[in-house]
Amino acid sequence: MKLADFDYQLPEHLIAQSPVLRRDTSRLMVIDRCTRVFRHAQFSQIDEFLPKGALLTLNDTKVIPARLIGNKPLSGGRVELLLAQQKGNNIWEVLAKPGKSVLPGTRIEFGGGVLRAQVIALTKSGSRIVRFEHNGDFHEILANVGQVPLPPYIKRDPKPADKNRYQCVYATSEGAIAAPTAGLHFTEPLMVRMKRTGFKFVTLTLHVGLGTFQPVKVRNVERHKMHSEHLELSQAAAATINAAKEDGNKIVAVGTTSVRALETAASGGGITPYIGDTGIFIYPGYQFKLVDALITNFHLPKSTLLMLVSAFAGRELILKAYREAIKRNYRFYSYGDAMLIL
């Protein structure tokens, strides 16, 4: 399977640079995999299309202010780090810019020295391993000196509003470097209304990291290796999901990260509790074990996210849907519109 099979041309003006005024007023494309029919609505209407009594699985990961801009104390040179994954106590894997000047031994200071870092190793993928030094709670310091890690295709600096809007309303578990964007469309009133009409929600945690956004650099998709991400699915969540399956209710994954979490923990037609890393890579040909429907955004060309939704709905149908979305001026990527695949 060729990487080029997952390419498409997107007009730059359709890349959403800011969120809509109210979360659930984003647009919604509904795709029926059986009839291959597209319908168009507003996200606030999503409960009209979902299977009755469905269980929605939410990724409750919370984005940390993972973008750090500092200076080398000796030269004054500017350095930007993106926290990718915690490896130990005060030890993080990071992406660095400019990478050529950030070598083992390099020291960097942030916030006038309230947070300090030393590069201790390079990885095969080109990231860095750094050790942080600080006095006080790391996450409290990070909240003061770090920035919201908006994706690079959003061509502006973070605004104060992004601290709230680049989080799902149900985000509670700190650790992600990017939001599970399908969940950004939900509002608390919408979820309350859905619960009143028989829909159920369950949370799991997959800390979105490099595995979700790492570019595919190989021509043959099958050779790509995902960067692992940390997953936690509790015994209570597993019991809720298994009960829904036994009752004949559909499992709706809210976002590709929820899909990867569910399929990692799936076992024998049900699911088991899971704590650990997952590097699952889902692309066409994958046989889904648990997920019945998917809520997702519109994804980048040649990305593992586009491959996952293509595995779920079929590559040709998804690319046709993307052409339809472009024709109708849907907004793409993290702050863009949504898709429901049934």
Side-chain angles (χ1 to χ4, degrees):
M1 193 172 301
K2 303 299 182 184
L3 180 60
D5 294 338
F6 300 92
D7 198 9
Y8 69 92
Q9 299 300 313
L10 178 69
E12 190 171 348
H13 73 276
L14 294 182
I15 301 174
Q17 297 298 305
S18 298
V20 291
L21 187 60
R22 201 181 78 201
R23 292 174 185 265
D24 61 2
T25 59
S26 55
R27 296 169 70 186
L28 176 69
M29 177 185 285
V30 182
I31 302 176
D32 190 311
R33 290 179 290 169
C34 295
T35 64
R36 303 177 73 84
V37 169
F38 305 150
R39 288 175 286 181
H40 305 278
Q42 192 175 80
F43 194 85
S44 60
Q45 300 170 280
I46 193 166
D47 49 342
E48 299 174 19
F49 302 98
L50 288 168
K52 299 300 180 185
L55 175 67
L56 284 75
T57 59
L58 309 174
N59 183 4
D60 69 0
T61 189
K62 189 172 184 178
V63 180
I64 61 174
R67 184 179 182 227
L68 290 167
I69 298 175
N71 299 92
K72 298 177 184 177
L74 295 179
S75 67
R78 183 180 186 274
V79 176
E80 180 177 333
L81 298 185
L82 176 66
L83 303 182
Q85 189 175 49
Q86 187 169 7
K87 295 293 187 179
N89 188 27
N90 289 325
I91 306 294
W92 284 76
E93 180 180 357
V94 305
L95 299 183
K97 290 196 304 186
K100 291 183 180 180
S101 67
V102 184
L103 301 173
T106 301
R107 291 184 175 274
I108 312 161
E109 291 185 348
F110 307 93
V114 298
L115 182 64
R116 303 170 301 280
Q118 181 177 9
V119 181
I120 57 177
L122 304 180
T123 71
K124 291 181 180 180
S125 64
S127 60
R128 272 67 176 161
I129 304 298
V130 302
R131 178 188 293 111
F132 285 103
E133 301 169 0
H134 55 87
N135 295 316
D137 182 78
F138 177 76
H139 286 284
E140 288 181 5
I141 295 170
L142 197 62
N144 291 323
V145 302
Q147 297 181 10
V148 177
L150 293 179
Y153 47 75
I154 294 180
K155 305 297 185 181
R156 62 174 176 81
D157 290 330
K159 300 177 181 178
D162 290 310
K163 289 185 177 181
N164 173 262
R165 291 306 304 272
Y166 198 59
Q167 298 279 16
C168 299
V169 295
Y170 47 79
T172 56
S173 181
E174 289 191 335
I177 66 168
T181 55
L184 295 179
H185 308 283
F186 282 92
T187 64
E188 291 174 351
L190 173 60
M191 295 174 69
V192 168
R193 188 184 80 207
M194 292 177 67
K195 289 175 183 177
R196 281 203 307 259
T197 54
F199 293 100
K200 296 180 180 179
F201 295 88
V202 66
T203 58
L204 51 82
T205 304
L206 188 143
H207 290 315
V208 188
L210 295 181
T212 300
F213 301 100
Q214 186 180 20
V216 180
K217 298 179 180 179
V218 293
R219 290 184 180 180
N220 294 325
V221 167
E222 295 89 341
R223 293 185 177 180
H224 177 70
K225 185 177 180 180
M226 294 285 285
H227 196 284
S228 65
E229 296 166 314
H230 186 70
L231 164 62
E232 294 187 13
L233 193 149
S234 69
Q235 188 168 351
T240 299
I241 295 167
N242 287 329
K245 293 293 286 186
E246 290 172 6
D247 291 341
N249 294 321
K250 300 297 185 182
I251 307 299
V252 180
V254 179
T256 57
T257 58
S258 290
V259 173
R260 295 179 64 236
L262 292 171
E263 293 296 312
T264 295
S267 175
I271 198 165
T272 56
Y274 190 100
I275 298 179
D277 290 346
T278 177
I280 189 172
F281 177 27
I282 297 175
Y283 55 89
Y286 180 85
Q287 298 298 310
F288 288 85
K289 306 177 187 71
L290 202 67
V291 178
D292 299 306
L294 169 62
I295 300 170
T296 188
N297 278 21
F298 294 87
H299 303 296
L300 277 75
K302 299 182 179 179
S303 64
T304 59
L305 307 180
L306 182 57
M307 294 170 196
L308 186 152
V309 296
S310 296
F312 191 71
R315 185 182 68 88
E316 291 182 3
L317 181 60
I318 287 297
L319 292 179
K320 182 180 178 181
Y322 274 48
R323 291 192 295 269
E324 176 79 1
I326 291 169
K327 179 181 176 182
R328 291 176 176 263
N329 289 314
Y330 273 69
R331 302 166 78 246
F332 278 61
Y333 305 164
S334 292
Y335 273 150
D337 295 315
M339 174 186 288
L340 168 62
I341 307 173
L342 298 169

